[in-house]
Amino acid sequence: MPWFVWLLAAGVLGAAEFFTFTLVFGLLAGAALVAAVVAGVGIGLLGQLVALGVAAAAGLVIIRPIALRQMAQQPLIRDGSDALIGKRAEVMQEVTATHGLIKLAGEEWSARALDESLVIPVGASVDVMEIEGATAIVYPRELLP
């Protein structure tokens, strides 16, 4: 089979991958490129099919599981307000279940207590448990009197 037919097949498979994101068609497109190279060198149809099969099997059995595992992992670096979760803050204005003010990462943030029964006094250290919009949900670091 001529090498340009394999290139055409690789293009079609690449386009299919673009629309499906399954990582299957893309790996098959890569295998078709390998077959195109083998055909370009002058090896016959049987050699081209063997090259296609070996490259496709290697991609689907080795590369695809690794790629899927990497895609499923959470990013190591959190950014934006997500990066503030778990940080320590200082209470600037008493924090209750409905309102309050804290100093977090050098900025003043509105805050609410995670435990609705708590009233966290001024000067107490708190941990940011979550961020809802522009409000930090906090919990005291030490036991309150």
Side-chain angles (χ1 to χ4, degrees):
M1 187 180 297
W3 61 269
F4 61 86
V5 174
W6 288 114
L7 283 180
L8 180 64
V12 169
L13 289 166
E17 177 64 34
F18 179 77
F19 290 109
T20 62
F21 297 116
T22 61
L23 297 178
V24 173
F25 293 117
L27 292 169
L28 293 176
L33 287 175
V34 170
V37 169
V38 170
V41 171
I43 298 176
L45 181 61
L46 182 61
Q48 295 170 27
L49 293 175
V50 167
L52 176 74
V54 169
L60 294 174
V61 171
I62 297 171
I63 296 172
R64 187 170 187 263
I66 294 170
L68 289 175
R69 195 169 37 248
Q70 290 296 319
M71 288 173 39
Q73 290 181 351
Q74 292 290 329
L76 298 176
I77 299 174
R78 295 185 298 181
D79 57 353
S81 62
D82 287 340
L84 299 174
I85 296 172
K87 298 281 186 185
R88 174 186 274 187
E90 182 182 346
V91 176
M92 305 296 289
Q93 182 183 40
E94 185 176 80
V95 176
T96 65
T98 58
H99 68 280
L101 191 65
I102 60 170
K103 187 163 195 152
L104 173 62
E107 299 177 341
E108 290 184 355
W109 279 72
S110 60
R112 289 189 296 119
L114 179 65
D115 184 347
E116 295 179 359
S117 65
L118 287 178
V119 175
I120 307 170
V122 174
S125 291
V126 293
D127 287 323
V128 177
M129 307 306 285
E130 57 185 283
I131 302 286
E132 287 182 0
T135 302
I137 312 301
V138 298
Y139 194 80
R141 292 187 73 94
E142 297 93 24
L143 293 175
L144 297 175

